[in-house]
Amino acid sequence: MQALPAGACDAHLHVFDPRFGTRFWAEAPQAMRAHATAADYAQLRGAMGLERAVIVQPRAHGTDNRATLHAIQSLGAASTRGIAVVHPEITDAQLQALHDGGIRGIRFSLHTEHDAAVRLDMLEPLAERIAALGWHVQLHWLASQIEAHAALLQRLPCTLVFDHMARLADSTDGAGVHQPAFGVVRGLVQQGRAWVKLSGPYLNSRAGLAAGYADCDALAQAWVAEAPQRLVWGSDWPHVTEAAHPPQTPMLLALLSRWISDAALRARVLVDNAAELYGFD
């Protein structure tokens, strides 16, 4: 991949820092516990030529957002934003403190119930509260969940961001675009209410790393065709789900050239779209 444009953003990564009371998954690899801090990511970011970052609170830290807030400051508050995980009991003052610390959204990672820090019934009341801050709700849901809760998504008062291409698996030859969830998300995007992350190709691929996640190309390119103005790219570093066969992060960035052949459009996804969604100057 050619040199990145100024202001290129990695809009999806996680930081794990045991100094902040981490409650790691039992199966989390030891190497990840020791080598997935903000300092580790800073080295990778510099080598790749990325300038901006969005840190997404991982399940391992639950609703204790201190590690994410610390990472925002470590990587540079002007060039870093964060996505928190909170419960409805959070006070308005605590929400404002998160905003002042660089948080711009909350995440509902419900693709599996294992160690989930939030519940579906928390979504609507929290969405109503964060709308006033200009935040968005970030959803890591399966396609089946998106389809099942389409009516709920339509009535939420804030912007929505769908992780990992909306998890439309089995996308070989474009099959993923025929799932009802694709239409749900596309409708929200067309209304100007949603964004999609070009991230986590391994979560939408059966062919796997050996094939370069090629069976995910059709899905990624479908989102590029449908919503180029509503896409951001994220590395999903440090690739928690891929401990057995971890990809090299630069390789995942290189996939963007395969999905988007036009350099100007790649720059829009990496720079302009991310700046609009996350409020970078």
Side-chain angles (χ1 to χ4, degrees):
M1 188 170 185
Q2 297 178 348
L4 298 182
C9 179
D10 180 349
H12 192 108
L13 65 112
H14 307 287
V15 166
F16 297 82
D17 197 328
R19 294 176 297 175
F20 297 97
T22 303
R23 55 181 187 89
F24 285 103
W25 297 307
E27 66 269 23
Q30 184 63 38
M32 192 169 294
R33 303 184 191 196
H35 303 292
T37 66
D40 296 318
Y41 181 76
Q43 292 183 348
L44 176 67
R45 180 179 67 171
M48 292 176 62
L50 293 159
E51 296 180 5
R52 295 170 174 167
V54 180
I55 302 167
V56 178
Q57 175 82 348
R59 286 188 173 208
H61 281 293
T63 58
D64 182 349
N65 295 282
R66 290 179 299 160
T68 294
L69 290 169
H70 178 267
I72 292 171
Q73 294 302 313
S74 297
L75 292 173
S79 61
T80 315
R81 300 288 184 265
I83 306 300
V85 175
V86 302
H87 281 173
E89 293 79 14
I90 192 169
T91 67
D92 289 343
Q94 288 170 327
L95 285 174
Q96 185 61 53
L98 289 175
H99 185 86
D100 294 343
I103 299 298
R104 293 297 181 265
I106 57 173
R107 194 188 197 205
F108 276 75
S109 182
L110 299 176
H111 64 289
T112 172
E113 294 182 358
H114 173 63
D115 228 9
V118 290
R119 303 187 310 271
L120 180 64
D121 64 301
M122 298 177 179
L123 175 54
E124 197 160 11
L126 280 170
E128 291 172 354
R129 293 181 63 193
I130 68 165
L133 290 166
W135 291 10
H136 60 263
V137 168
Q138 181 174 318
L139 303 171
H140 186 184
W141 289 9
L142 300 177
S144 58
Q145 293 171 310
I146 294 171
E147 178 185 357
H149 301 295
L152 169 62
L153 297 176
Q154 279 288 347
R155 67 175 182 262
L156 293 178
C158 58
T159 299
L160 305 175
V161 176
F162 291 89
D163 281 353
H164 310 318
M165 296 181 254
R167 288 300 300 271
L168 293 169
D170 302 329
S171 56
T172 304
D173 298 327
V177 304
H178 300 301
Q179 294 192 41
F182 184 86
V184 172
V185 177
R186 177 176 57 188
L188 290 164
V189 167
Q190 290 174 343
Q191 295 167 30
R193 298 191 52 233
W195 299 71
V196 177
K197 288 191 176 184
L198 293 176
S199 59
Y202 32 74
L203 297 172
N204 295 285
S205 172
R206 290 190 175 186
L209 176 60
Y213 312 119
D215 55 337
C216 185
D217 288 357
L219 176 59
Q221 290 163 352
W223 284 125
V224 172
E226 290 285 347
Q229 77 285 1
R230 287 275 165 165
L231 300 176
V232 293
W233 173 84
S235 67
D236 196 31
W237 183 90
H239 322 299
V240 178
T241 62
E242 307 306 299
H245 302 287
Q248 295 295 313
T249 305
M251 171 263 194
L252 298 176
L253 179 57
L255 291 180
L256 199 58
S257 294
R258 202 165 77 197
W259 299 337
I260 307 175
S261 59
D262 181 72
L265 185 52
R266 285 199 305 274
R268 175 167 187 164
V269 170
L270 285 169
V271 182
D272 302 322
N273 289 357
E276 179 182 348
L277 178 58
Y278 298 105
F280 294 116
D281 292 333

